[in-house]
Amino acid sequence: MSHSAILRLGADVLLVTHVAFVGFVIFGLILILCGGPLKWSWVRNPWFRVMHLAAIGIVVVQTWCGLICPLTTWEMHLRQRAGDDTYEGSFIAHWLQHLLYYEAPAWVFVVCYTIFGLLVVSTWITVRPRPFRQRRPT
């Protein structure tokens, strides 16, 4: 396998990881909102909920600071080193532009991510996670 093929493979792995991360954040909220009224006990799992809150928290803080996701930066760097075309801006902005043909200033994404993050925080009130289990003394 050539060096550029390895770099492309690494970039593709990062892209898949990034898509999985975005899917976890978006579908996690949808499942929490659906699972609360439907009494799905797993949506109250504290580990799931902490990971979900942390994931959107990272995204919100990055956008407030004007940072591009490190997964995007790393993927673009690998693609550039492999001789492939890269894109500008954030992962979400790039793919939203391609999927929806919609361009928006960076502040729009800051507002959208912040609102999404507040929705996730609100689920801690509306669909409360279970407390972490205490280990029993042995």
Side-chain angles (χ1 to χ4, degrees):
M1 188 178 277
S2 72
H3 182 67
S4 60
I6 292 170
L7 292 171
R8 281 187 195 95
L9 177 63
D12 290 343
V13 167
L14 282 169
L15 178 60
V16 169
T17 302
H18 207 165
V19 169
F21 181 89
V22 171
F24 172 68
V25 170
I26 292 171
F27 292 112
L29 178 60
I30 292 168
L31 291 170
I32 291 166
L33 292 173
C34 292
L38 295 173
K39 307 287 189 221
W40 296 343
S41 64
W42 67 269
V43 300
R44 295 179 185 274
N45 179 303
W47 291 106
F48 167 69
R49 299 296 294 278
V50 166
M51 289 186 336
H52 188 251
L53 182 62
I56 189 60
I58 289 167
V59 171
V60 170
V61 169
Q62 284 175 346
T63 59
W64 286 348
C65 294
L67 301 173
I68 294 177
C69 176
L71 293 174
T72 301
T73 305
W74 195 10
E75 179 201 346
M76 289 190 301
H77 175 73
L78 290 174
R79 292 201 189 284
Q80 185 177 36
R81 288 195 55 209
D84 289 349
D85 290 333
T86 60
Y87 50 85
E88 292 184 22
S90 72
F91 170 84
I92 297 294
H94 173 77
W95 289 107
L96 279 178
Q97 180 179 354
H98 284 310
L99 293 173
L100 304 175
Y101 304 104
Y102 182 76
E103 291 189 38
W107 70 265
V108 172
F109 294 101
V110 171
V111 169
C112 290
Y113 294 158
T114 301
I115 291 170
F116 195 93
L118 290 172
L119 282 171
V120 171
V121 169
S122 74
T123 65
W124 281 70
I125 298 165
T126 59
V127 184
R128 295 191 67 77
R130 289 187 309 271
F132 286 97
R133 292 184 188 167
Q134 296 282 331
R135 285 190 171 241
R136 294 182 185 175
T138 54

